[in-house]
Amino acid sequence: MNTSTAQTTQRLADAGIFGPGSEELALYESRLTRYFEREYQRLEAEPVSLEDLGISTAEGPVMEETEALMDSHYDEKPEFFASFLDKHYQAYSMAYYGDTPSEIRASTASLEQAQKAKFELITERAGIVGHERIFNIGCGFGSLETYLLEHYPNLEITGITPSKVQVAYLRQRMQDPDDPLGSGRFNLIYGMFNRQLVNTLRAFSYDMVFSVGTMEHSSNMREINALTKKILVINGTSFHHFITSMQAIPQFLDPTKTKIGLYFPGGRVWPHDEFARHTEHFDLAGHWFVNGLNYWRTLDEWHHRFWNNIPGLYGPVFDTDAIAHWNNYFSLCKAVFAPQDGNFYGNSHYLFKLRS
Ligand SMILES: C[S@@+](CC[C@H](N)C(=O)[O-])C[C@H]1O[C@@H](n2cnc3c(N)ncnc32)[C@H](O)[C@@H]1O
């Protein structure tokens, strides 16, 4: 540790804030993890359904509390995201280290390699051949776009995001003809995905619709599929990747009840089987659970990178409260993915094919 890092971490320790590698944080995270371990065991023993909870995923707003979500999360200072995301893709979703807990633990992949492995897995499961026109809901900093445009010279992709921080970053990259995002095969929409937006798009414009790490912000899955249908070609497909739990976790379905809502206003964690039920217009062609230790490792890597960049963040970018806020975010998220060896809380993949 260099002098500046040591001085900064000491000032933060004096304020009761500890980073990865400290005994204090390890103890805090292990207690949090034990709490969620007990919660998941209880829910496995006595599952509750969405019907029991009076929750429907066929009504309500298509995306939840987008403006509050941008303010509290996605429009946070760009230096924050730059401090921890991988440098190549800037992916803000789970990286993929392996299928089983032992593979994930034993993996020697870097964050960048594991993010690439995630895109390889998604591409294979979605059945991309390379000449598709794709619509990506919630494109973040263009991670999926970067991967696909680098690998498939005939593919075109449109990304949508309501985040001004993400849009500013993407627009800058689009100026560079050497950047995959500046290739002319990337189109950016600054806005929210909803019916109004879809009404401005041409029917039959896309072969595939994707989302990666975005449907946590939706509560009306029927409407997601109804809107997707409007822009897809005949026999088009959609592929979605997002955080799920094997059984419903009641407190994670009400963002006013937990800290999830503090970091992600309107955010919810849906049971693995829920989206798969929405087959009004589509056939379900594939449905997978991805072990949650993948996200635990991703978050742990992000947490270390954030903490290694603390001297540049603390003072110039963030005050003490903001450092505590985001430091706690990484710990909290790690603690929800770690229990049950990642078998209860992870990510799901859904591949839908439009019925003709
Ligand atoms: C966790 S990030 C994932 C980003 C990216 N897909 C990735 O994997 O790197 C979620 C994305 O959903 C976007 N989002 C949230 N609400 C949205 C809405 N109403 N319409 C479209 N995108 C939305 C956010 O701006 C962000 O880009």
Side-chain angles (χ1 to χ4, degrees), residues 223-240:
E223 181 74 343
I224 288 287
N225 276 353
L227 296 180
T228 300
K229 175 180 184 257
K230 281 170 82 80
I231 55 173
L232 277 176
V233 294
I234 293 163
N235 296 325
T237 54
S238 69
F239 186 91
H240 301 278

Side-chain angles (χ1 to χ4, degrees), residues 4 12 56 59 94 103 122 148 164 220-221 236 302 319:
S4 135
L12 288 168
S56 161
E59 57 193 37
M94 178 212 92
E103 274 171 29
I122 288 179
L148 292 177
K164 56 179 185 298
N220 189 339
M221 293 170 182
W302 287 347
D319 64 12

Side-chain angles (χ1 to χ4, degrees), residues 115-131:
Q115 287 295 0
K116 186 173 181 213
K118 183 256 304 285
F119 294 123
E120 285 166 352
L121 181 72
I122 288 179
T123 305
E124 188 201 318
R125 287 185 171 172
I128 288 190
V129 289
H131 52 63

